[in-house]
Amino acid sequence: ASVSAVGGGKVNRVGVGAQVQDVWSGGDVTLANNAEVHGSLITSGILTPQSGAKVDGTMSQQANLGPLQTISWSVTFPTTIAPAVSLTSSQTYTPGDYPEVDVKTGAQLNLSRGTYTFNNMFLEPGSTLAVDNSQGPVFIYLKDGFTFRGTVTTTSAQPNVLFGVAGTSQVVIENAFHGIVVAPSASINLATTSIGHSGAFFAQSITAHQNTNIQLRGLQPINFCGPTDACSSFCACGTGSYPCSGSSSNCDTGLTC
């Protein structure tokens, strides 16, 4: 997968033996021992390669990465926070607002199409987040933090499961993860796993640890936006293919923002 952290963020470090496609960084980048970038590496800072690290494609340092396209949307969290919940068995949640939830070892949390908000979410080792995304996108918004040590399963291969983290605490992913994480004010830590990770990751900074492959399953608005959704910088105008950023030039022919 490609790794990008710009607009105030940076790709701190690509870990020992890690392999990625392309790298765009808004600051200095360290390629640890035997890390490999199969495509291009472009950074506004300086690249520090350790022993055996290599970039197969174009390498550009102190580059100008602007102008950037801004994609944004708003999420409203409840003002009243209920007591935290610990799950020790299988539970099914319908779309809505929830407090902090801790899914314990052996427990399973079932979600389906729609939008969920949580104050925090912890998935312990041996726990499962089972997502039925076959009928449409699933939005999981975390107000403060997200710690993932369990397993996430989906009923469809469609990349339409999004985890949005509004807080500033580090997003901890310590087991094989499948999904899209958007954490604009936080860092993401991708631990070493034998299976690797698949999805897309957006954050202030991202650390990918050694000997872990990351398969890109990109954030495409078309996988999340329906024909009745309002035109925005995230959802296209009408049935268009491109997001609206205040100018109709980003819309398909005949469509306007």
Side-chain angles (χ1 to χ4, degrees), residues 25-257:
S25 176
D28 296 343
V29 180
T30 296
L31 295 183
N33 296 341
N34 299 314
E36 182 173 2
V37 178
H38 291 278
S40 300
L41 185 149
I42 302 175
T43 174
S44 62
I46 300 297
L47 171 64
T48 302
Q50 297 180 352
S51 176
K54 62 179 180 177
V55 178
D56 298 334
T58 302
M59 182 179 66
S60 179
Q61 301 180 74
Q62 297 181 321
N64 181 6
L65 294 174
L68 303 175
Q69 179 189 8
T70 300
I71 297 177
S72 62
W73 63 98
S74 298
V75 178
T76 301
F77 291 94
T79 55
T80 301
I81 300 175
V85 175
S86 293
L87 301 185
T88 58
S89 61
S90 180
Q91 297 285 329
T92 298
Y93 283 5
T94 57
D97 300 323
Y98 296 91
E100 177 179 306
V101 61
D102 187 351
V103 187
K104 298 294 188 181
T105 299
Q108 178 169 305
L109 175 58
N110 305 301
L111 306 180
S112 57
R113 176 185 179 180
T115 299
Y116 299 79
T117 68
F118 295 88
N119 196 48
N120 272 297
M121 180 179 285
F122 300 88
L123 285 126
E124 305 292 352
S127 67
T128 301
L129 180 64
V131 182
D132 181 356
N133 61 328
S134 61
Q135 300 303 309
V138 182
F139 298 88
I140 304 166
Y141 293 117
L142 299 314
K143 181 180 180 181
D144 291 333
F146 181 39
T147 300
F148 180 81
R149 300 186 176 104
T151 300
V152 59
T153 65
T154 58
T155 56
S156 170
Q158 187 85 347
N160 61 352
V161 179
L162 186 145
F163 296 79
V165 183
T168 58
S169 298
Q170 184 181 70
V171 176
V172 178
I173 297 178
E174 294 187 352
N175 201 17
F177 182 84
H178 308 287
I180 295 169
V181 179
V182 178
S185 300
S187 61
I188 296 177
N189 187 72
L190 295 168
T192 299
T193 76
S194 59
I195 299 175
H197 308 286
S198 67
F201 304 92
F202 303 85
Q204 280 287 326
S205 65
I206 300 170
T207 299
H209 286 274
Q210 62 268 25
N211 300 317
T212 297
N213 291 328
I214 303 171
Q215 179 183 4
L216 175 63
R217 301 182 70 202
L219 172 58
Q220 299 291 336
I222 195 171
N223 291 325
F224 292 93
C225 299
T228 61
D229 289 335
C231 174
S232 68
S233 62
F234 183 68
C235 291
C237 307
T239 57
S241 304
Y242 300 98
C244 169
S245 60
S247 169
S248 298
S249 62
N250 285 331
C251 296
D252 283 351
T253 302
L255 299 175
T256 59
C257 290

